[in-house]
Amino acid sequence: MTSPDTRPGRVGVMLPRDLPVHQVLPYARRAEELGFDELWVVEDLGWRGGIAQAAGVLAATERITVGIGILPAGARNVCFAAMELATLAQFHPGRLVAGVGHGMREWMDQAGGAWPASPLTLLREYATALRALLRGEPGPADGRYVRCGGVRLTETPEVVPPVVLGVRGPRSQALAGQVADGLLLAEPAAPAYVAASLEHLGRRDLEVITYDVAAVDEDGDAAVERVRAGLAAIGEPDWAPHLEPLPFAAGFRAHRAASADGAEFARTMPAEWVRALAVAGTPEEARAAIAGRWAAGATSVVLMPAGGEPLKALESLARALPDGD
């Protein structure tokens, strides 16, 4: 058996955004029982709020760390976001990680034109202010987008939650190395992409959290087939930074161009590409995929369950834990 304290990294699982509400807290409790180190919630426009989900999950569990991935900087006032996060961290010391990012431009436009002229400037100002406020320091002088000069929280957490940036591009990842506690890498996060992102980050002492679509089955080929649908979007332009470091990047682009849509692209992708772009296979193969991401520099590998009934999928993924059966 491998103790979490002696593993080279942590293993988390994502709370599916479409999970029926009556299953959310049982899912979180079961993830904790199964031995996952972390549970991550998402804040996608039109679904559930990230802070509210984190509050419910933290209250329903005892040990598991809860990550919010991600809060879009353009949609949340930094002062009030800091108040919410500080309150959660006060109630649940050492169990919260806050992810912040640009957000998806389409969603930001739908949400009232929240996309800034300079996304990097906004993110720099936002992360700097958020971390200062969470530490109990006065907000920095007003910037181009973020205005919180002189604001100070009277209720601050004993354990300040890490703030990680959920970003893709080299310049944004370099920014994370300057103003945040680490990176959150969206799926797919193959080892080559993790390694390239670390080079952009410019530091080796920060958190690097990865998301990957995942399925585990005694029949490894069946697991590969289950994750295909979760890869349908990754041929689109926003995902290009994830693919450029991979040896099959040129073939990948050609395959997407030849496919009628994302569904056909994922359905007909070579199995070896699927295995590289997901954590999928037998328990042993899935453990090897996790270990590969740790070796590339990830500090936490977060599995996104694919296919099947949610609780059964969760229990299947637990077999990929280093001390799983």
Side-chain angles (χ1 to χ4, degrees), residues 150-176:
V151 174
R152 192 166 194 156
L153 301 189
T154 59
E155 296 297 321
T156 54
E158 189 175 317
V159 180
V160 178
V163 175
V164 297
L165 298 190
V167 290
R168 305 178 195 271
R171 293 172 62 205
S172 296
Q173 292 181 345
L175 177 66

Side-chain angles (χ1 to χ4, degrees), residues 71-271:
L71 301 175
R76 285 188 174 272
N77 178 281
V78 72
C79 300
F80 289 93
M83 290 166 58
E84 298 282 7
L85 294 169
T87 301
L88 284 180
Q90 276 191 321
F91 287 150
H92 309 282
R95 294 181 55 205
L96 179 67
V97 180
V100 177
H102 301 298
M104 299 294 286
R105 181 163 190 170
E106 179 182 359
W107 292 344
M108 296 301 97
D109 288 343
Q110 287 179 312
W115 192 258
S118 177
L120 277 175
T121 300
L122 169 59
L123 202 55
R124 178 184 293 278
E125 292 178 359
Y126 196 97
T128 300
L130 180 60
R131 293 176 76 217
L133 291 167
L134 289 171
R135 292 192 298 263
E137 300 168 5
D142 290 348
R144 179 176 175 183
Y145 296 105
V146 174
R147 291 170 171 77
C148 60
V151 174
R152 192 166 194 156
L153 301 189
T154 59
E155 296 297 321
T156 54
E158 189 175 317
V159 180
V160 178
V163 175
V164 297
L165 298 190
V167 290
R168 305 178 195 271
R171 293 172 62 205
S172 296
Q173 292 181 345
L175 177 66
Q178 300 165 19
V179 301
D181 297 301
L183 275 176
L184 171 60
L185 301 177
E187 73 289 353
Y193 175 57
V194 176
S197 298
L198 266 168
E199 291 299 316
H200 302 147
L201 186 65
R203 297 175 60 178
R204 300 276 168 170
D205 59 335
L206 300 179
E207 292 288 338
V208 178
I209 299 149
T210 64
Y211 284 174
D212 270 299
V213 182
V216 176
D217 197 296
E218 285 301 325
D219 180 344
D221 292 339
V224 167
E225 292 307 306
R226 281 211 299 275
V227 299
R228 284 184 181 275
L231 300 175
I234 67 169
E236 306 311 311
D238 282 345
W239 276 263
H242 298 248
L243 287 307
E244 286 307 314
L246 304 183
F248 53 83
F252 181 95
R253 289 192 298 270
H255 179 64
R256 179 61 187 93
S259 301
D261 54 25
E264 179 187 321
F265 157 77
R267 187 175 62 252
T268 57
M269 189 187 303

Side-chain angles (χ1 to χ4, degrees), residues 15-16 19-29 39 48 53 57:
L15 182 76
L19 197 64
V21 67
H22 68 277
Q23 294 184 27
V24 169
L25 298 185
Y27 186 101
R29 295 187 191 102
L39 188 142
R48 296 187 177 107
Q53 288 182 89
V57 169

Side-chain angles (χ1 to χ4, degrees), residues 264-299:
E264 179 187 321
F265 157 77
R267 187 175 62 252
T268 57
M269 189 187 303
E272 59 267 28
W273 294 4
V274 177
R275 289 181 180 274
L277 295 168
V279 175
T282 65
E284 294 78 14
E285 290 168 336
R287 287 185 201 120
I290 291 169
R293 285 153 175 78
W294 284 340
T299 56

